[in-house]
Amino acid sequence: QVQLVESGGGLVQAGDSLRLSCAASGGTFSTYGMGWFSQAAGKEREFVAAISPGNIFREYKDAVKVRFTISRDNAKNTVYLQMNSLKPEDTAVYYCAGGRGYRGTVNGNYNYWGQGTQVTVSS
């Protein structure tokens, strides 16, 4: 059973940066496409970023394309989300997700999910 554990969330001010990490265990991480999703209070979970198993293809939500970077270290079984120039509207619980092969932007395509980490951006 694959387990995903996020870390790195917190309370920051607008314009600050955070790096989220997601550590995977129990599977062959290098074969999994990974994604980050966010869920603001009272809203549906939405796609943020995704990365292919081989660290070649990346995809982003338009609103974060120039501010966020998804990356992975297959030797450490970890995927990251570097978030720069944070805005209050980025406030949400951020979830890491994974599945075999590239999974894209749809949350229903992912088989494994972490418990989430809260990111709060004050103005």
Side-chain angles (χ1 to χ4, degrees):
Q1 182 71 16
V2 175
Q3 291 187 326
L4 303 175
V5 179
E6 302 97 335
S7 61
L11 172 63
V12 297
Q13 293 186 332
D16 286 350
S17 298
L18 277 176
R19 188 176 80 157
L20 305 184
S21 300
C22 172
S25 61
T28 307
F29 181 74
S30 61
T31 67
Y32 291 121
M34 301 299 295
W36 287 97
F37 291 78
S38 67
Q39 188 166 19
K43 296 187 177 181
E44 294 187 353
R45 193 172 300 187
E46 63 177 10
F47 169 77
V48 176
I51 189 168
S52 61
N55 207 9
I56 294 174
F57 185 71
R58 304 174 188 183
E59 198 166 3
Y60 296 94
K61 179 177 76 169
D62 285 345
V64 307
K65 197 170 291 186
V66 296
R67 300 185 294 121
F68 291 8
T69 302
I70 188 171
S71 62
R72 65 190 296 158
D73 185 338
N74 287 345
K76 295 183 178 180
N77 289 355
T78 301
V79 62
Y80 304 97
L81 185 68
Q82 177 67 44
M83 306 188 293
N84 297 330
S85 302
L86 282 161
K87 302 177 180 180
E89 52 262 45
D90 296 321
T91 295
V93 177
Y94 283 74
Y95 296 90
C96 170
R100 191 159 293 176
Y102 184 66
R103 293 284 160 163
T105 66
V106 178
N107 58 12
N109 290 346
Y110 289 80
N111 303 111
Y112 309 110
W113 291 85
Q115 82 289 349
T117 185
Q118 176 71 47
V119 172
T120 303
V121 185
S122 64
S123 58

